[in-house]
Amino acid sequence: MAGASSRLPSDFTDPVAMTEALIRCPSVTPADGGALDLVSSALTGLGFEVERLDFGGGGRPLIGNLYARLGTARPNLCFAGHTDVVPVGDLTRWTHGPFEAVTEDGQIFGRGACDMKSAIAAFVAAVARHRQAGAPLPGSISLLITGDEEGPSIDGTRAVVGALSARGEEIDHALVGEPTSKDMVGDTIKIGRRGSVTVRLTVVGVQGHVAYPQDADNPLPVLARLAEGLSAHELDRGLPAFDPSNLEIIDFHVGNDTTNLIPAKGRLTFNVRFNPLWTGEKLIGHLKRVVGELLDRPDRTLEWDVHISSEPFLTEKGAFTGVVAGAIEAVTGTKPHLSTGGGTSDARFLKTICPVLEAGLVGRTMHQVDERVAVADIEQLTQVYQSLISAYFAKFAQSTGDARGRSNADG
């Protein structure tokens, strides 16, 4: 960790310095760029027991992850996040280098500034301030940091959660530091997410000459009919806590550059974000019936390639939601909106072991060219997380009783 140590800020209570150091690690998935070593060094310096849990191989790249815990008692409050980032895009359009962490007009520019290296830095600083203040820790604080959130998400949080569960590691509540806020820090908490399924549907026809269509079977008009029908189909009208499920066509693929050839097959790709009115399996069964009704004839040959990446979930309002919302309001003066909107996150894996919420920075520039975050927002988020740590243990730490039982009742 010599390289990481040389970049490690001297003051762990300073979230801006840690943000800058993390941005300077070029950690585009699956590369790590030294980011996890940097976090590991900081947490070790704060007294955490840090464990690397790397997974991959067998044709997949090795993915770095870490799990760190401060304390051994329960309840265990876990902060989850990722150091990996998406590609930078058109480098010539960046005002400053995406891995230079330049501050201009009160904004830090860099890939990962918003999503979500600043949130990791803020939580580390919050823990450092909690310890510096000599505040008690009647339980444990843990961090689960992955390098695979922006990638396939196979060997990241999913794998770490499986490993922790297998050995009986108890996490009572988790907070994911994704950039959930819309206009100002803390204005939105994610209390759940819709599920996601991607379907690659291939229609098989018969290749032939365009001048002799009677001797061929063109699959493309069928594909167009399916695209139009699926796009117009109403899956549901939503739930009180969830938007309606939506199906979006995201790709057509034929691969035919020949002007006088009817192709043998064509592929339609679509993604569905679905609420708890469906499970992934139930939704696929429904879509197959819809497709069958849209076909020009029942004997069409279809090839279905289905990937259910997540099921919908909801963390019910309760004590944990109240603690997180209260910590935000105490610092910002704003009562956060509780939402299930947006895309997927690693909360979909953590929800299998404990109640989970998401709260972080304003996400307006995430994944964009000139991704950036306000320095003042990083400081405010640090204060929110510090307030949360104090409020969490004041609420959930008790000398007797089972913390997991309380978490399920109060989550």
Side-chain angles (χ1 to χ4, degrees), residues 106-171:
Q107 304 268 339
I108 300 178
F109 287 73
R111 179 58 84 224
C114 175
D115 185 14
M116 54 165 285
K117 291 180 175 181
S118 296
I120 294 173
F123 196 82
V124 171
V127 175
R129 294 179 186 185
H130 185 85
R131 291 181 63 76
Q132 186 181 70
L137 183 60
S140 299
I141 298 173
S142 58
L143 284 88
L144 193 167
I145 309 297
T146 180
D148 189 39
E149 198 273 347
E150 301 290 7
S153 298
I154 295 172
D155 296 309
T157 299
R158 181 202 299 262
V160 175
V161 165
L164 296 178
S165 298
R167 75 186 194 197
E169 181 78 12
E170 297 282 0
I171 296 175

Side-chain angles (χ1 to χ4, degrees), residues 2 14 21 37 53 150 155 215 236 241 243 247 258 284 313 352 411:
D14 180 4
D37 282 348
L53 293 165
E150 301 290 7
D155 296 309
D215 297 326
D236 56 65
D243 290 336
L247 183 153
T258 305
I284 293 303
F313 73 94
T352 63

Side-chain angles (χ1 to χ4, degrees), residues 150-201:
E150 301 290 7
S153 298
I154 295 172
D155 296 309
T157 299
R158 181 202 299 262
V160 175
V161 165
L164 296 178
S165 298
R167 75 186 194 197
E169 181 78 12
E170 297 282 0
I171 296 175
D172 295 290
H173 298 88
L175 181 77
V176 181
E178 288 287 344
T180 58
S181 300
K182 183 179 178 182
D183 297 310
M184 59 178 291
V185 171
D187 63 9
T188 304
I189 297 173
K190 300 291 186 182
I191 60 172
R193 297 277 188 164
R194 293 184 297 172
S196 176
V197 59
T198 299
V199 176
R200 294 174 176 85
L201 177 59

Side-chain angles (χ1 to χ4, degrees), residues 12-29:
F12 296 145
T13 66
D14 180 4
V16 175
M18 178 62 78
T19 296
E20 293 170 339
L22 286 172
I23 290 173
R24 291 179 182 129
C25 299
S27 53
V28 177
T29 318

Side-chain angles (χ1 to χ4, degrees), residues 16 49 96 102 106 112-113 120 130 189-190 205 209 215 271 273 311 344 358 363 369 382 406:
V16 175
E49 291 290 330
H96 305 286
V102 173
I120 294 173
H130 185 85
I189 297 173
K190 300 291 186 182
H209 197 293
D215 297 326
N271 178 271
R273 298 302 167 102
E311 298 284 350
T344 59
E358 302 174 56
V369 168
T382 301
R406 293 196 304 277

Side-chain angles (χ1 to χ4, degrees), residues 3-52:
S5 299
S6 65
R7 300 190 301 270
L8 193 65
S10 58
D11 182 5
F12 296 145
T13 66
D14 180 4
V16 175
M18 178 62 78
T19 296
E20 293 170 339
L22 286 172
I23 290 173
R24 291 179 182 129
C25 299
S27 53
V28 177
T29 318
D32 173 68
L36 285 171
D37 282 348
L38 195 65
V39 176
S40 179
S41 295
L43 295 177
T44 299
L46 289 172
F48 282 79
E49 291 290 330
V50 181
E51 179 182 7
R52 286 294 294 263

